[in-house]
Amino acid sequence: MSLALQPVCVANGWDEEVVLVFDKAHRVLAVLTHPSEQNEVAHGQWYLEAGFGPVDGIERPTFADLEDAQDWLSRRLGHWNPSRA
């Protein structure tokens, strides 16, 4: 599954890296966040801030890096039929 990542800024007062994840049809599938050092929860890891479609309503997993996050998303999407969503 081909995924595209777009870095964005979020107006939350924290110095965080955030990316939107799109599928090949340009649908937003996920928002991934890499918290700043001030964040005590998932410092140093990426995590699923929000998911849509096949990743909507699931627990928020953490990932060592964006490659791990993309691999996980690709596996979830491999079983997803958007026409039934």
Side-chain angles (χ1 to χ4, degrees), residues 6-83:
Q6 178 181 346
V8 296
C9 294
V10 178
N12 63 1
W14 294 93
D15 184 23
E16 298 178 323
E17 293 179 74
V18 178
V19 295
L20 300 178
V21 181
F22 297 88
D23 68 6
K24 63 183 176 183
H26 305 289
R27 294 177 293 224
V28 176
L29 297 172
V31 178
L32 298 172
T33 303
H34 190 249
S36 67
E37 292 184 14
Q38 296 100 336
N39 188 310
E40 299 173 0
V41 177
H43 161 64
Q45 297 184 352
W46 286 88
Y47 76 96
L48 179 67
E49 180 81 38
F52 308 96
V55 291
D56 183 26
I58 62 169
E59 286 190 38
R60 295 182 180 180
T62 59
F63 309 98
D65 53 37
L66 282 175
E67 185 175 312
D68 286 347
Q70 290 179 79
D71 290 345
W72 181 84
L73 285 164
S74 292
R75 286 192 306 274
R76 298 280 305 185
L77 295 170
H79 304 287
W80 183 55
N81 181 349
S83 65

